[in-house]
Amino acid sequence: LSVYYVTLPSDSTSVMDEKDKTTEKVNGESEKENTSQTETKDKAKDLQDEINQKKETELNSSSEVIANKDSEEQEKQEALSTMDEVKEQQQLQEQIKNALAKEKLNAAVEIKDTTCTITIFDTKEDKKTAASVMKIASDIVNQKYLIEVSFK
């Protein structure tokens, strides 16, 4: 089993240090920080919403197969299996997201096939944070998925 540490350039969003967040309002800096924090939280929420919508689409298509009178028994069994898997993935995604939120990390989590992709927002990109995120996620998924961490 291998673990990969994936990073992306952080130039797509601005990343702030903790000391920058606590500075007093000087020449509008505080307003810029609040705007930037809000933007990254919105981006994280938008990404997570997009991921959740994909899962809902999978569930709906499986439900349609089950509800269809013309579907064969094997198709219905596969659809039920897919639904169970998608629901389990949704629960794991939520558990990881909540665990990371407790660590004050703004993240979006997607589990697809055999990979758990975690995108961290508004946190400086470093190995220590990535290792911490991987440990948290690994404890939750019990080595069932390959974990990838990226920073934006």
Side-chain angles (χ1 to χ4, degrees):
L1 230 179
S2 299
V3 177
Y4 295 94
Y5 170 62
V6 180
T7 60
L8 296 175
S10 59
D11 58 342
S12 62
T13 61
S14 62
V15 179
M16 296 176 281
D17 293 6
E18 282 299 315
K19 58 185 169 185
D20 288 340
K21 293 178 186 175
T22 59
T23 57
E24 294 290 321
K25 183 176 179 177
V26 178
N27 296 332
E29 282 297 314
S30 183
E31 289 178 21
K32 289 179 187 176
E33 290 169 7
N34 288 339
T35 302
S36 180
Q37 286 175 325
T38 302
E39 287 175 4
T40 54
K41 284 182 181 179
D42 288 345
K43 287 181 182 182
K45 185 181 181 323
D46 290 346
L47 179 58
Q48 191 66 55
D49 288 345
E50 183 180 318
I51 292 165
N52 292 341
Q53 185 62 40
K54 287 179 190 176
K55 295 291 182 190
E56 288 300 320
T57 302
E58 287 181 60
L59 285 174
N60 290 339
S61 66
S62 293
S63 293
E64 289 174 10
V65 170
I66 293 170
N68 187 349
K69 291 185 244 177
D70 298 331
S71 295
E72 294 182 20
E73 190 62 32
Q74 183 178 356
E75 290 174 321
K76 289 182 180 183
Q77 290 298 325
E78 289 174 5
L80 280 172
S81 175
T82 300
M83 287 179 72
D84 289 342
E85 186 177 324
V86 169
K87 287 178 183 179
E88 178 187 352
Q89 289 174 351
Q90 285 178 317
Q91 289 174 340
L92 290 172
Q93 285 176 181
E94 192 63 30
Q95 287 175 358
I96 293 168
K97 187 167 173 28
N98 290 339
L100 294 173
K102 287 179 183 176
E103 299 297 317
K104 303 202 184 322
L105 293 170
N106 190 16
V109 181
E110 179 177 24
I111 297 176
K112 186 176 180 182
D113 300 325
T114 60
T115 306
C116 174
T117 305
I118 303 168
T119 305
I120 305 293
F121 293 86
D122 57 272
T123 300
K124 187 175 179 183
E125 180 181 317
D126 66 1
K127 289 182 182 181
K128 183 179 177 185
T129 303
S132 173
V133 169
M134 288 177 143
K135 177 162 179 14
I136 291 168
S138 178
D139 290 345
I140 293 171
V141 299
N142 295 323
Q143 307 293 331
K144 188 175 179 180
Y145 300 97
L146 173 68
I147 299 169
E148 292 181 1
V149 178
S150 63
F151 293 83
K152 287 193 178 188

